């Protein structure tokens, strides 16, 4: 088995820089999210050269590098970009495992035949990777060696390590690359072991005796014999809907109204396919840049709007500022299983059903905008036009249901 | 899947206002008819959203116009134009005299 790994170093930083239209060759770092402790995130190489590193307090980072520029993290943009790359790789026939932000790996056994050998696979992979992100490609006989090959490769030159070459390739690499926690790495350092080759030269029983199961795993990796199995994802069937606010909105009732509107659309779309929603990803693009994202997995796949809103609404309380666009993506890979039904139908359900039918008839005759409801937007605003708005009428939230 | 924008209520609508030499509203044109201003009951400034690219700077006036109707208008101090949030649907019995006391709720903003 050969494994191909794609690595885009500093992926989340690069995505945020791209969104902020800032270059990679200036001292720039990711700032803290609104409300988070004031620590620095990833930083560009010029910032690193001036002593800035992730985890520093903002004040200390600015003291070390007065010209340091902070940009807003964009987790939603990163997740979106990651998803795009994963989808493109799956589009060429790969079963992709995402191990971290900016890291993708997959077995190339089947792809070699599909794309006329390893060079053909590399060519095809490079053609679907984003331009200007310095993506690196490594191929090795095992997941660990493949990742290290990608780490050593350059954007222009993919690195292909064969089984015969793997021991020589891994031997000089620093021991910190091994999959061990900080305490065990420190122990190795105290023992004078600094390279992977030195670990590979140890006796297996010694390694197991000193470091246990993790030690055995690291020892196997050091010898190019790691047995990690790839765990490619099942490609979800995403369905997505977006709501663009004419003015940024921070009021929770307005976000709830927009989310309910989107969930209703998504649930209807998924139900038409005979499927159910297994998970939701809520994404908000904020005023002035930046984004917020939250992924929710449903306990039971469903298309019931009440269950979806009960699950999604609490997450919206964590939105960090005024929202320009709200996007909800549903994973429609669930199946509608048999649900227990109630013995006696409450009267309200029948009233809602009848009202809903009436609304549907009015809309079919006069258009979608024929029945609207007012929701509070920013009731505290001094500007009357920012306090209330009309949204499509929703039977299940109407007063007196 | 498409998206539907929100439709905001109480959007400002442009209004034709004749001002006195002192810059105060003297008469309005409501539904094509000129309505003299009987009294100015109140006026106040609203400055908001100064932290955005579209700051708001308005001078509001609460007016009584012929034949005794209450209306709130404002002048946008950036463009100089006059606007109202009133959608022309004030109830017919909403008639006040110029010397009536101010509403107990105070300023609307």
């Amino acid at each position: 088995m050969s494994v191909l790994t794609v690595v885009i170093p500093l992926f989340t930083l690069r995505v945020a820089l791209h969104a902020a239209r800032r270059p990679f060759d200036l001292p720039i770092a990711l700032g803290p999210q609104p409300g988070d402790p004031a620590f620095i995130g990833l930083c560009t190489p010029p910032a690193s050269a001036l002593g800035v590193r992730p985890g520093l307090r903002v004040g200390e980072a600015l003291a070390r590098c007065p010209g340091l520029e902070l940009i807003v993290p964009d987790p939603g943009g990163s997740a979106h970009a990651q998803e795009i790359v994963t989808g493109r790789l799956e589009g060429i026939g790969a079963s992709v495992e995402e191990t971290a932000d900016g890291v993708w790996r997959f077995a190339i056994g089947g792809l070699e035949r599909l794309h006329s050998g390893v060079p053909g696979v590399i060519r095809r992979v490079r053609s679907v990777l984003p331009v200007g992100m310095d993506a690196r490609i490594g191929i090795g006989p095992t997941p660990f060696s493949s990742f290290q090959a990608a780490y050593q490769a350059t954007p222009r030159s993919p690195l292909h390590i064969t089984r015969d070459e793997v021991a020589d390739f891994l031997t000089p690499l620093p021991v910190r690359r091994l999959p061990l926690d900080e305490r065990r790495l420190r122990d190795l350092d105290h023992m004078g072991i600094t390279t992977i080759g030195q670990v590979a030269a140890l006796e297996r029983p010694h390694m197991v005796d000193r470091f246990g199961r993790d030690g055995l795993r690291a020892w196997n990796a050091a010898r190019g014999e790691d047995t990690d199995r790839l765990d490619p994802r099942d490609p979800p069937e995403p369905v997505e809907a977006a709501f663009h606010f004419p003015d940024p909105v921070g009021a929770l009732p307005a976000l709830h109204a927009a989310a309910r509107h989107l969930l209703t659309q998504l649930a209807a779309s998924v139900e038409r396919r005979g499927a159910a929603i297994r998970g939701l990803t809520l994404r908000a693009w904020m005023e002035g840049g930046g984004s917020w994202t939250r992924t929710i997995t449903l306990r039971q796949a469903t298309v019931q709007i009440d269950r979806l809103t009960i699950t999604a609404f609490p997450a919206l309380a964590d939105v960090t500022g005024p929202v320009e666009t709200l996007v909800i993506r549903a994973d429609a890979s669930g199946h509608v299983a048999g649900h227990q039904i109630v013995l006696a139908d409450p009267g309200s359900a029948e009233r809602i059903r009848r009202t809903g039918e009436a609304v549907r008839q009015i809309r079919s005759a006069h258009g979608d905008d024929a029945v609207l409801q007012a929701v509070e937007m920013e009731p505290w605003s001094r500007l009357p036009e920012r306090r209330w708005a009309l949204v499509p009428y929703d039977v299940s939230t109407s007063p007196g249901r | 899947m498409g998206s539907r924008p929100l439709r905001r209520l109480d959007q400002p609508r442009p209004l034709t206002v004749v001002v006195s030499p002192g810059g105060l509203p003297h008469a309005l044109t409501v539904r094509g008819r000129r309505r003299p201003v009987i009294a100015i009951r109140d006026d106040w400034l609203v400055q908001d959203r100064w932290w955005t690219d579209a700051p708001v700077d308005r001078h509001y006036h609460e007016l009584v116009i012929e034949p005794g109707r209450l209306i709130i208008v404002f002048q946008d101090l950036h463009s100089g134009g006059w606007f109202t949030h009133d959608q022309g649907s004030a109830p017919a019995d909403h008639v006040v005299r110029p010397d009536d006391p101010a509403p107990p709720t105070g300023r609307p903003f």
Side-chain angles (χ1 to χ4, degrees):
Chain A
M1 177 184 78
S2 286
V3 177
L4 186 148
T5 301
V6 176
V7 174
I8 298 182
L10 304 172
F11 180 69
T12 52
L13 173 64
R14 286 175 187 274
V15 173
L17 286 171
H18 184 261
R21 302 278 190 273
R22 302 300 297 146
F24 194 66
D25 54 1
L26 288 180
I28 301 174
L30 290 180
Q33 285 271 25
D36 283 357
F39 291 110
I40 293 287
L42 296 174
C43 49
T44 57
S48 298
L50 293 168
V52 179
R53 62 172 192 275
L56 272 186
R57 288 197 168 277
V58 170
E60 189 178 348
L62 290 171
R64 291 185 182 192
C65 176
L68 181 68
E69 186 179 337
L70 297 180
I71 59 172
V72 184
D74 189 5
S78 294
H80 186 58
Q82 179 101 9
E83 176 61 35
I84 287 176
V85 175
T86 306
R88 287 183 184 172
L89 291 171
E90 286 171 344
I92 65 172
S95 294
V96 181
E97 179 187 9
E98 299 170 322
T99 57
D101 287 340
V103 180
W104 300 264
R105 65 185 187 186
F106 51 89
I108 59 171
L111 292 178
E112 284 181 58
R113 288 188 290 277
L114 194 63
H115 298 294
S116 312
V118 173
V121 174
I122 292 175
R123 204 163 39 244
R124 194 73 184 90
V125 168
R126 292 183 77 173
S127 72
V128 300
L129 293 177
V131 177
M133 297 287 267
D134 287 351
R136 292 135 200 259
I137 297 173
I139 298 178
T142 64
F144 179 74
S145 61
S146 160
F147 179 73
Q148 297 308 323
Y151 208 85
Q152 296 292 108
T154 64
R156 290 176 180 274
S157 307
L159 191 54
H160 182 186
I161 306 297
T162 62
R163 183 155 299 277
D164 296 337
E165 299 166 340
V166 69
D168 291 340
F169 167 70
L170 292 175
T171 295
L173 298 182
V175 75
R176 301 196 71 80
R177 303 269 188 93
L178 286 175
L180 286 170
D181 60 31
E182 190 60 33
R183 184 170 60 85
R184 293 196 162 104
L185 289 172
R186 205 163 42 239
D187 290 346
L188 284 172
D189 190 46
H190 290 160
M191 294 160 68
I193 294 175
T194 56
T195 65
I196 289 179
Q198 289 174 288
V199 173
L202 294 173
E203 295 290 333
R204 183 176 187 271
H206 295 165
M207 197 69 185
V208 174
D209 184 47
R210 183 69 180 78
F211 297 105
R213 183 186 293 268
D214 290 345
L216 179 60
R217 185 161 167 255
W219 186 76
N220 281 329
R223 295 167 59 87
E225 296 170 355
D226 54 305
T227 52
D228 284 358
R229 291 180 57 189
L230 297 184
D231 185 19
R233 68 169 193 171
D234 290 328
E237 296 183 31
V239 187
E240 191 174 281
F243 201 109
H244 307 288
F245 294 97
D247 291 310
V249 163
L252 209 49
L255 291 176
H256 284 179
R260 176 176 284 277
H261 178 62
L262 296 179
L263 289 169
T264 307
Q265 284 185 1
L266 292 172
S269 170
V270 171
E271 193 174 14
R272 278 197 297 274
R273 303 177 179 194
I277 295 174
R278 189 188 290 278
L280 295 169
T281 301
L282 311 177
R283 234 169 248 159
W285 305 97
M286 318 302 286
E287 181 184 28
S291 60
W292 167 93
T293 188
R294 192 73 81 245
T295 299
I296 301 165
T297 303
L298 300 176
R299 193 174 296 174
Q300 187 177 33
T302 183
V303 287
Q304 292 179 20
I305 190 68
D306 284 348
R307 284 171 182 257
L308 294 172
T309 53
I310 285 172
T311 310
F313 279 9
L316 289 171
D318 298 335
V319 174
T320 51
V323 176
E324 284 187 342
T325 303
L326 180 67
V327 179
I328 299 183
R329 168 178 283 226
D331 172 5
S333 59
H335 301 285
V336 182
H339 298 298
Q340 190 159 7
I341 57 173
V342 294
L343 185 61
D345 190 21
S348 62
E350 177 61 16
R351 280 200 301 278
I352 291 172
R353 191 192 66 75
R354 289 185 182 179
T355 312
E357 181 57 31
V359 169
R360 269 192 293 279
Q361 289 187 18
I362 292 171
R363 283 196 174 134
S364 65
H366 301 287
D368 283 349
D369 291 339
V371 189
L372 303 170
Q373 69 184 91
V375 294
E376 276 187 335
M377 299 285 289
E378 298 172 24
W380 56 83
S381 177
R382 302 163 73 212
L383 307 175
E385 69 269 26
R386 299 189 67 83
R387 292 183 198 150
W388 291 85
L390 291 172
V391 298
Y393 178 76
D394 187 336
V395 177
S396 57
T397 59
S398 63
R401 52 181 287 191
Chain B
M1 200 170 285
S3 67
R4 183 201 312 275
L6 288 173
R7 188 187 303 173
R8 289 191 178 276
L9 292 174
D10 294 329
Q11 288 280 15
R13 295 188 176 189
L15 189 71
T16 303
V17 176
V18 178
V19 296
S20 67
L24 296 175
H26 180 68
L28 317 179
T29 302
V30 178
R31 294 181 184 171
R33 296 188 62 176
R34 182 185 168 100
R35 300 285 190 187
V37 174
I38 302 173
I40 300 176
R41 281 167 53 103
D42 200 357
D43 75 295
W44 61 95
L45 292 172
V46 170
Q47 292 175 327
D48 206 336
R49 301 189 64 73
W50 41 265
W51 59 92
T52 69
D53 294 334
V56 172
D57 197 357
R58 297 174 180 174
H59 190 176
Y60 276 86
H61 296 270
E62 185 179 355
L63 309 177
V64 182
I65 57 173
E66 288 281 1
R69 183 181 155 194
L70 196 67
I71 186 170
I72 294 174
V73 302
F74 69 85
Q75 185 179 25
D76 184 278
L77 297 181
H78 291 297
S79 66
W82 287 84
F83 301 86
T84 180
H85 300 289
D86 192 311
Q87 308 300 306
S89 57
D93 58 353
H94 190 184
V95 175
V96 294
R97 291 203 304 260
D99 51 353
D100 277 352
T105 53
R107 289 181 174 177
F109 303 103

